[in-house]
Amino acid sequence: MSGTFSLDIQQVSAPGGFTAWLIEDHSVPVVSVAWGWGGGAALDAAEHAGALAMGAALLTEGAGDLGMTEFADALRDEAIGLSFGAQRDGFEGSFRALLPALPEAVRLANLAMRAPRLEEQSLVRVRGRAVAGARAALETPRGQVGRAFWAAAFPDHPAGRPTSGTVETLSALPEQAIRDALARQLRTGGVQVAASGAITAAQLAQLLPTLFAGLPDGPPPSAPPLPAFRQFAPLVVPVEAPQSAIQFGQPGLPIDDPEWESFQVVLRILAGGGFSSRLMEAVRVQRGLTYGIGGGIDTLFGQGIVVGSSATDNAKVAEALEVTRAEWARMAAEGPTQAELDDAVAFLTGNLPLQFTDSRRIAGTLLALQRNNRPVEWLAGRNERLRGLTLGRVRQVAARLLRPEALSVAIAGKPVGI
């Protein structure tokens, strides 16, 4: 894509101190709204891990004077898609509705947040589903390795435990802990909003006070700041399986670091470009050690953590890790070639419009930009910034930020030679 990609993002102010970002599109009569707060599962007490995630699942299980079935029928009758979700460092809600159903979507979303019923039958069913999911996650090497990696990297912070809780915490989770988690999180303060579709700025400004009416004043509590990534020696979780799952990572950089995009380019060339990445070429194509390997930046608590993964036969784990570390070190020492830089920039600039193909994705992207404290003009200048990257600058970033000696690895399986 050679032209300049731009979007008309409007900043909307509403009574009650609410603000929102909006991209209007009246080509189809659909509106998507997404909103979120900081905090998230990090506000759960350790013994109540998973409380907010369970609360999110229960919000659409009946609210106010509508039982579970009546609430589901009300959504279905108007073709409204309403959902809530807890992340490690935040909580989000969203809906998508046809224009005639917009008032009903706002009413039901508000009712879910303001007056969730948390009925016993719903609580039992959602708890059972959550426990089954937590138990199933530990039955596979992939599930085991992810849990081990984050626990080792952040052992003294909520980032080190599963957002959705564990079998133990979910099984013993009191109903009051779920109610308390929702009460901490769902507030009139600190909320960020994004919208897209067939709605004007004036209509959105009128909608926002209704959407959040009746919620407690003030923002959610602040999540504890993320400590430094704790480097750890290769960690093996014994799992009886013919293959081992591998997760590797290292410290990244703050979201507001001026070299954020330069580092994204470096990681795409090294690990994120599918079959065009160096890791895929070295580990799979040349040596046949894995079906797939890749990685990128995982953002949480204002930080970017470099995380990658692969899987291979137990007998090949040591060699796969040796090659991975060698490619990590080579990129740190040499940086990319000009051709690799050009290809990565072309992909990233050309791929940007694909994030704006429907109202739901647009609203989600706008909300993510706000969560990352991007200014409203940040997106408009992104492609120009990417095209302005020089080979020397990107090589300096690779040398500064890639740390092969700090690459921490967790393995779940029966690896040989580790």
Side-chain angles (χ1 to χ4, degrees):
M1 180 179 176
S2 58
T4 300
F5 178 71
S6 62
L7 289 165
D8 181 15
I9 303 176
Q10 303 177 62
Q11 292 181 284
V12 179
S13 297
F18 301 107
T19 61
W21 288 10
L22 167 65
I23 293 180
E24 282 190 57
D25 179 5
H26 296 271
S27 60
V28 292
V30 172
V31 177
S32 292
V33 181
W35 60 94
W37 297 262
L43 302 180
D44 289 340
E47 65 273 20
H48 293 154
L52 187 62
M54 269 194 66
L58 286 161
L59 288 181
T60 52
E61 291 279 323
D65 58 349
L66 299 177
M68 174 189 64
T69 302
E70 291 82 8
F71 194 90
D73 287 345
L75 292 172
R76 186 183 62 250
D77 290 347
E78 297 288 351
I80 297 167
L82 173 65
S83 63
F84 298 92
Q87 295 95 35
R88 287 173 294 192
D89 58 352
F91 185 91
E92 294 182 2
S94 67
F95 67 71
R96 183 177 185 269
L98 294 169
L99 192 56
L102 183 57
E104 180 70 349
V106 173
R107 184 184 80 87
L108 292 173
N110 171 262
L111 195 63
M113 293 187 290
R114 176 173 52 83
R117 291 171 71 108
L118 275 64
E119 294 178 340
E120 179 63 24
Q121 60 175 337
S122 295
L123 186 60
V124 169
R125 187 179 65 260
V126 171
R127 185 197 302 273
R129 189 169 63 223
V131 169
R135 184 174 288 117
L138 298 182
E139 293 175 352
T140 65
R142 183 184 296 273
Q144 289 267 19
V145 77
R147 182 168 173 176
F149 177 89
W150 290 106
F154 299 104
D156 303 317
H157 188 274
R161 61 181 187 240
T163 298
S164 54
T166 66
V167 171
E168 295 76 21
T169 61
L170 293 167
S171 298
L173 196 60
E175 177 186 330
Q176 191 58 47
I178 300 173
R179 293 187 180 277
D180 291 346
L182 292 172
R184 281 193 303 268
Q185 188 68 71
L186 302 175
R187 319 283 296 187
T188 58
V191 64
Q192 295 170 311
V193 185
S196 176
I199 185 171
T200 66
Q203 290 169 331
L204 181 59
Q206 187 177 14
L207 172 158
L208 293 181
T210 305
L211 179 59
F212 301 109
L215 295 182
D217 293 335
S222 297
L226 190 70
F229 182 102
R230 182 177 294 185
Q231 181 184 354
F232 55 91
L235 173 65
V236 176
V237 181
V239 178
E240 291 295 339
Q243 284 197 334
S244 290
I246 304 168
Q247 191 155 320
F248 52 90
Q250 62 148 81
L253 73 172
I255 289 174
D256 59 1
D257 191 292
E259 298 297 352
W260 179 264
E261 286 154 320
S262 302
F263 197 41
Q264 278 189 314
V265 169
V266 169
L267 289 176
R268 172 163 182 82
I269 295 167
L270 175 62
F275 277 95
S276 66
S277 77
R278 288 190 178 184
L279 284 182
M280 188 72 94
E281 173 67 23
V283 180
R284 173 179 170 165
V285 176
Q286 294 182 5
R287 296 171 178 84
L289 297 174
T290 182
Y291 179 77
I293 183 171
I297 306 179
D298 196 348
T299 58
L300 62 160
F301 303 94
Q303 298 289 318
I305 309 299
V306 182
V307 183
S309 63
S310 65
T312 190
D313 294 342
N314 288 325
K316 298 178 179 178
V317 171
E319 184 182 359
L321 287 176
E322 181 182 0
V323 176
T324 299
R325 291 185 186 277
E327 287 301 317
W328 215 267
R330 185 166 74 92
M331 179 63 86
E334 303 172 5
T337 66
Q338 185 66 55
E340 287 174 325
L341 173 58
D342 292 343
D343 287 346
V345 169
F347 174 84
L348 292 171
T349 55
N351 190 57
L352 183 59
L354 298 180
Q355 300 178 44
F356 296 88
T357 53
D358 65 72
S359 63
R360 191 194 304 270
R361 293 188 70 181
I362 292 171
T365 299
L366 294 183
L367 182 61
L369 291 171
Q370 294 180 71
R371 290 282 308 276
N372 289 340
N373 293 319
R374 304 299 189 199
V376 71
E377 66 276 6
W378 185 87
L379 196 63
R382 178 177 179 267
N383 282 356
E384 184 178 352
R385 292 191 301 273
L386 285 168
R387 294 190 185 102
L389 293 176
T390 65
L391 187 61
R393 178 178 175 184
V394 174
R395 284 176 171 173
Q396 286 180 348
V397 169
R400 176 170 69 89
L401 293 175
L402 288 178
R403 299 170 56 187
E405 77 288 349
L407 196 63
S408 297
V409 179
I411 307 159
K414 289 287 187 179
V416 177
I418 302 296

